[in-house]
Amino acid sequence: MQGNGAGHNQYSRNGAQNSEPSSTGAAHSNGLQSVPNNANTASNNNNNNGGSAPPADNNSPTEAGGRRKKRPAQSEEDVIRLIAQHLHHLGLNQTVDLLMQESGYKLEHPSATKFRNHVMEGEWDKAHSDLNELKALMHSPGAIVRMKFLLLQQKYLEYLEDGKVLEALQVLRAELTPLKYNTELIHILSGYLMCSHAEDLRAKAEWEGKGTSSRTKLLDKLQTYLPPSVMLPPRRLQTLLKQAVELQRERCLYHNTKLDSGLDSVSLLLDHACSRKQFPCYTQQILTEHCNEVWFCKFSNNGTKLATGSKDTTVIVWHVDAVMSHLLIVSVSSQQDKLAGMRGLTGFPVGRQETHQLKFMKTLEGHAYGVSYLAWSPDDAFLIACGPDDCSELWLWNVQTGELRTKMSQSHEDSLTSVAWNPDGKRFVTGGQRGQFYQCDMDGNLLDSWEGVRVQCLWCLSDGRTVLASDTHQRIRGYNFEDLTDRNIVQEDHPIMSFTVSKNGRLALLNVATQGVHLWDLHDRVLLRKYQGVTQGFYTIHSCFGGHNEDFIASGSEDHKVYIWHRRSELPIAELTGHTRTVNCVSWNPVVPGLLASASDDGTVRIWGPAPFLDVQDTKGHNECCSMDSC
């Protein structure tokens, strides 16, 4: 800290006499010319000459001639202090001194400055004495004990690293132990006396060793106990800027990229804004291989495959290929022109973007009924297919080989319409509306059953024990096959046609007959949102979570559209058109946040992604957004 050119008093305006250039206009080392502080000179002359005028407030800037300026708002003083702290962090200490001198403010309390310097220099006795001065400035005097403990812990470790075992033992017995604070940690610290060398000590203590780095981290911890009026929290300006950037991203309805907590990849000169054209709102591909209604679609857990099930009794598995394509700028005025541009309208490239194409992989055939539900195993090696209400069978396929691993049927009177994998990948549960609810192994052998439960939809939670099942009583209950207990979790007033659960197991997304899409908190058992716009009658429609951090919700609809909402907003942010009949199912790629699939009664599967073009008027905004997040 001493070698930075500002000395011990660099943080205090009072220290200017030791580090500031004289008021005759001497230049700083960075070439900035200092400005004479006439106001301070005048004030000092009045005091030295015994003038009758009252002394000026040390924290109030004054004009030339000794007239006191109107005190700025507290926020202005805060901003100056924040800037000064950041400049000091960059090593611009003479600039800090000049800023403090001209503003008339202090970056921190003089006692805090002494404390800082003594900590960084390892003068532990002096730092301990400084705490007595700081105690009167603290809102929580009890924090002094915690601060003393942190100081003595560093002192103890440094003695050990230097091989001063007796001195370290004295600190442990005579200084740390009498504090009667965190005795468990004191026992751990005492064990470090047995370390044979410094490397062993640093490894066991997870400590960087004696020096600037560990002392800086110590000071950061100590600062958290001091009021900001005494000493600013560490890197406070960077913290505020990160919060501002994160808040703008959270409020951006179309932000769909990974949140970067750092500031290195963003521009602070522009507000964050993602374009709708960077969101999966545009048809990239139409899959037409099915020859009847497509009832279900689901991306694999690793995002590399898509499985689609149809009334034509087949399952088709598609491979997701990443390709690079040109991003074009076109000058168009209408949506029809834009669509024409996608088909070859002349434009000029502004860069390349990754897009995805689905390629046919294999067809799984032999089902006796249409395929209305699909479930990937946790490792994506197997795929289970279920049929409609009158289907008493399910099929377990090996995806890689295309071979049928298991065909399960307990009774011809069963209705096996839904299935869910246990997280261990060795078991699954299945059931239907005729009162069957089974837990089976990979060979279809019955492990457990729950009688009299008319199942509409199933989901296995990550604990490996609890199975959620929606039933004909308009509710979702949790069933534990280990202790054979069950409990009510969600109660609706209308039939629950389907539901899905977020990755963290906290939220459930329900498609409710005649009501639409509802979001429930499973932990608190409360209804959070009722999303608007979708048309939901008594057809089974499957919605999904999607995007980075599952911030978005998508659902099909009986009005032939796909609706997308931001999770926190009940109004849709996008309505995707193109299908000509009911959209039965949507699936958001869990790895590629800009890839969405929808299956419809029109016999097609549409793949949605970002726009392959930009309008001329959008170019500036696109560049600005990309400069912040590479969206």
Side-chain angles (χ1 to χ4, degrees):
M1 296 292 289
Q2 293 183 1
N4 53 21
H8 287 248
N9 295 306
Q10 59 188 326
Y11 275 83
S12 171
R13 180 189 173 196
N14 295 339
Q17 58 187 345
N18 295 331
S19 58
E20 288 290 328
S22 68
S23 59
T24 58
H28 287 282
S29 60
N30 59 11
L32 292 176
Q33 194 77 13
S34 65
V35 179
N37 193 342
N38 296 329
N40 288 343
T41 303
S43 176
N44 291 337
N45 288 341
N46 286 338
N47 292 335
N48 293 338
N49 295 333
S52 59
D57 184 352
N58 287 337
N59 287 331
S60 297
T62 56
E63 297 175 343
R67 296 191 304 273
R68 194 189 315 181
K69 293 181 181 179
K70 182 179 179 180
R71 184 178 180 85
Q74 180 65 42
S75 61
E76 295 184 7
E77 179 179 351
D78 293 345
V79 169
I80 290 175
R81 293 179 66 206
L82 291 170
I83 293 173
Q85 184 194 47
H86 184 66
L87 292 174
H88 168 72
H89 182 70
L90 298 177
L92 304 177
N93 300 302
Q94 290 183 336
T95 305
V96 173
D97 293 336
L98 184 60
L99 177 60
M100 294 294 97
Q101 176 184 337
E102 290 188 338
S103 66
Y105 298 127
K106 297 176 182 178
L107 178 55
E108 59 188 20
H109 194 280
S111 297
T113 302
K114 286 197 304 178
F115 179 65
R116 173 192 299 278
N117 292 328
H118 289 152
V119 169
M120 294 305 298
E121 292 163 9
E123 298 183 0
W124 306 117
D125 292 339
K126 293 182 179 179
H128 187 276
S129 177
D130 295 334
L131 287 179
N132 295 326
E133 297 182 30
L134 293 172
K135 184 175 182 179
L137 304 173
M138 297 174 62
H139 301 313
S140 175
I144 288 291
V145 175
R146 296 189 286 274
M147 296 179 72
K148 287 181 179 178
F149 188 91
L150 290 171
L151 282 174
L152 293 172
Q153 179 181 339
Q154 179 80 12
K155 179 181 179 181
Y156 170 76
L157 292 173
E158 291 194 6
Y159 274 152
L160 284 180
E161 186 181 52
D162 289 339
K164 301 178 180 179
V165 179
L166 293 178
E167 289 87 343
L169 185 60
Q170 178 67 15
V171 171
L172 187 67
R173 290 178 174 176
E175 298 184 75
L176 275 169
T177 303
L179 290 177
K180 297 180 180 179
Y181 176 78
N182 204 340
T183 54
E184 182 178 350
L185 181 55
I186 289 178
H187 288 310
I188 295 175
L189 292 174
S190 64
Y192 298 155
L193 289 166
M194 306 303 294
C195 292
S196 56
H197 48 77
E199 290 77 10
D200 186 28
L201 171 67
R202 289 193 288 268
K204 290 184 177 179
E206 297 180 355
W207 178 61
E208 293 181 309
K210 178 180 179 180
T212 301
S213 180
S214 65
R215 291 174 182 175
T216 299
K217 290 184 177 181
L218 168 65
L219 193 61
D220 287 348
K221 294 178 182 177
L222 294 168
Q223 282 181 267
T224 61
Y225 297 105
L226 295 172
S229 58
V230 176
M231 181 184 286
L232 287 174
R235 294 169 290 280
R236 182 60 181 161
L237 182 59
Q238 292 97 315
T239 299
L240 291 173
L241 292 174
K242 288 179 182 178
Q243 291 173 354
V245 170
E246 290 172 2
L247 181 60
Q248 287 190 20
R249 287 171 173 169
E250 290 175 3
R251 291 182 175 178
C252 176
L253 291 178
Y254 297 109
H255 188 79
N256 193 26
T257 61
K258 185 177 180 180
L259 294 177
D260 184 358
S261 59
L263 296 175
D264 295 338
S265 61
V266 304
S267 169
L268 300 176
L269 307 181
L270 298 166
D271 286 344
H272 173 84
C274 290
S275 169
R276 187 179 187 273
K277 292 183 175 62
Q278 299 162 278
F279 202 69
C281 296
Y282 299 84
T283 300
Q284 290 190 336
Q285 195 174 358
I286 302 176
L287 310 179
T288 60
E289 276 71 6
H290 285 293
C291 58
N292 209 324
E293 298 172 359
V294 186
W295 288 343
F296 201 82
C297 62
K298 185 70 174 178
F299 281 106
S300 59
N301 299 293
N302 61 15
T304 63
K305 300 177 184 67
L306 174 73
T308 57
S310 170
K311 186 178 180 180
D312 65 12
T313 74
T314 67
V315 173
I316 299 180
V317 181
W318 312 82
H319 194 272
V320 180
D321 285 344
V323 296
M324 296 301 296
S325 62
H326 288 291
L327 179 63
L328 300 178
I329 292 182
V330 294
S331 179
V332 293
S333 57
S334 69
Q335 184 64 29
Q336 289 182 344
D337 291 337
K338 293 176 184 179
L339 294 176
M342 295 174 66
R343 295 190 294 266
L345 183 66
T346 302
F348 58 92
V350 293
R352 294 175 66 83
Q353 65 176 357
E354 184 180 72
T355 60
H356 295 82
Q357 290 289 319
L358 272 71
K359 294 183 178 180
F360 174 84
M361 185 173 169
K362 57 172 56 79
T363 300
L364 307 178
E365 298 178 303
H367 307 97
Y369 301 85
V371 179
S372 61
Y373 198 86
L374 296 164
W376 290 90
S377 63
D379 61 1
D380 295 325
F382 298 96
L383 184 67
I384 296 180
C386 295
D389 290 343
D390 54 349
C391 177
S392 61
E393 302 173 334
L394 63 75
W395 297 264
L396 194 158
W397 295 91
N398 184 313
V399 178
Q400 189 62 38
T401 65
E403 296 177 351
L404 181 63
R405 162 73 183 267
T406 303
K407 180 181 177 181
M408 173 191 159
S409 178
Q410 293 295 322
S411 168
H412 291 297
E413 297 180 356
D414 284 353
S415 172
L416 303 182
T417 59
S418 184
V419 67
W421 285 89
N422 188 284
D424 64 12
K426 300 177 181 178
R427 298 169 288 161
F428 61 86
V429 291
T430 183
Q433 292 194 8
R434 296 180 183 174
Q436 296 77 36
F437 187 11
Y438 305 132
Q439 180 171 223
C440 307
D441 64 15
M442 293 282 290
D443 295 321
N445 298 316
L446 187 63
L447 301 177
D448 296 290
S449 66
W450 211 292
E451 298 297 330
V453 181
R454 298 182 181 273
V455 172
Q456 178 70 25
C457 193
L458 293 166
W459 192 275
C460 290
L461 295 184
S462 59
D463 62 10
R465 300 185 304 272
T466 306
V467 179
L468 302 182
S470 61
D471 57 30
T472 54
H473 296 286
Q474 306 167 4
R475 64 190 180 181
I476 295 177
R477 292 179 66 80
Y479 297 86
N480 190 316
F481 277 95
E482 293 184 0
D483 57 18
L484 299 180
T485 59
D486 62 310
R487 59 194 175 97
N488 204 47
I489 297 178
V490 170
Q491 182 66 60
E492 284 278 0
D493 296 326
H494 297 80
I496 301 171
M497 307 307 295
S498 69
F499 76 92
T500 187
V501 178
S502 61
K503 290 179 181 178
N504 62 11
R506 181 69 185 260
L507 302 175
L509 193 62
L510 284 60
N511 283 77
V512 183
T514 73
Q515 302 301 301
V517 181
H518 291 180
L519 182 68
W520 280 79
D521 186 313
L522 296 178
H523 290 189
D524 296 336
R525 305 183 191 181
V526 295
L527 177 62
L528 300 177
R529 302 274 191 279
K530 292 183 178 181
Y531 296 103
Q532 302 177 25
V534 67
T535 302
Q536 169 78 65
F538 287 91
Y539 287 110
T540 299
I541 294 176
H542 300 273
S543 56
C544 68
F545 294 96
H548 269 297
N549 199 36
E550 295 190 323
D551 284 333
F552 303 97
I553 287 167
S555 177
S557 176
E558 293 180 19
D559 63 2
H560 315 164
K561 298 178 182 178
V562 175
Y563 287 82
I564 300 178
W565 301 267
H566 196 286
R567 199 170 68 192
R568 67 170 181 267
S569 175
E570 295 185 351
L571 296 176
I573 62 173
E575 298 178 17
L576 312 186
T577 59
H579 286 295
T580 57
R581 294 183 63 188
T582 295
V583 180
N584 299 306
C585 183
V586 292
S587 180
W588 211 305
N589 192 295
V591 176
V592 184
L595 195 62
L596 180 70
S598 60
S600 170
D601 281 348
D602 64 11
T604 68
V605 176
R606 283 184 175 252
I607 306 301
W608 308 86
F613 63 87
L614 291 174
D615 294 349
V616 172
Q617 60 266 31
D618 292 331
T619 307
K620 181 179 179 181
H622 171 76
N623 291 336
E624 291 170 351
C625 185
C626 286
S627 69
M628 291 190 67
D629 299 284
S630 299
C631 300

